[in-house]
Amino acid sequence: MKGFLGPLRRLGSIRSYSGSFKRSQLRLEGVKDVIAVASGKGGVGKSTTAVNLAVALAIKCQLKVGLLDADVYGPSVPMMMKIDRKPHITEDKKMIPIENYGVKCMSMGFLVEKDAPIVWRGPMVMSALVKMTRGVDWGNLDILVVDMPPGTGDAQLTMTQNLQLSGALIVSTPQDIALLDARRGANMFSKVGVPILGFVENMSFFKCPHCGEPSFIFGKEGATNTAASMGHNFLGEIPLEVDVRKGSDEGIPVVISAPDSAISKAYGDTAQNVVNKLEELSNEPSLHPEINL
């Protein structure tokens, strides 16, 4: 039994890497800040949050914003941002991101047919992620928002290896089972030296359209309490509303379709909180990891 359990004791730790990238090599030319929007678990509305956050940063905060869909197996950005064409290529063989709603976008979904499955092993996925970061002419950006895939595996490590991440935003519902993986996600970023910008609680409550009474379907203040217990900031709560789902399906983010709504304001407030946290971190000594796969 002792020999059997030996390898398991290493789970939860970060592998050691030989060599390192210099900090200057991790930067994307022309991009000031890169933030990862992560969850640890799928199905909590991470991509919806990433899309609306990116648009809110562009429209409400008046920033130059890019959006990278790093979920190679299940890209959502093409549908959510209403983009159905392939990117052009520059003379130096770089892809030009496709812009909509004031946000420059790149996704594996732009490069394959709509319903085509991506049946790739890890090395091909890692190569694709590198090409969608460094093989793209992003131009000058204030913020590049990276919609991360669920989990804490090779894809996440590849992104921390190849990008100088300014911070990670953890998205979760208030439900305990979702928060379990959200904690793992936050701890993974902390272990590789990426600052945690804070937690966002998605689907915080459902407000009855008839009486206005809130119903806490997935629990109450779970992400708020988790952020506090881990010593991280809580950056915003997003209610569960039909308009968000409708906007995602139709490719019109709710911050565009209903700019004066309460939920649009919630995304705008969250975006401003992210900007404030980035400004705060910029004045602190960098702890960015030096790792190499």
Side-chain angles (χ1 to χ4, degrees), residues 22-28 31-36 134 144 146 158-167 194-195 278 286-289:
K22 295 180 179 179
R23 179 177 174 82
S24 59
Q25 293 176 312
L26 294 171
R27 294 189 65 87
L28 284 178
V31 179
K32 180 182 178 183
D33 286 304
V34 181
I35 65 172
R134 303 202 171 276
L144 175 62
V146 182
T158 295
M159 299 309 289
T160 59
Q161 169 210 354
N162 283 283
L163 293 177
Q164 182 181 313
L165 292 175
S166 302
V194 176
L278 287 172
S286 174
L287 297 175
H288 190 82

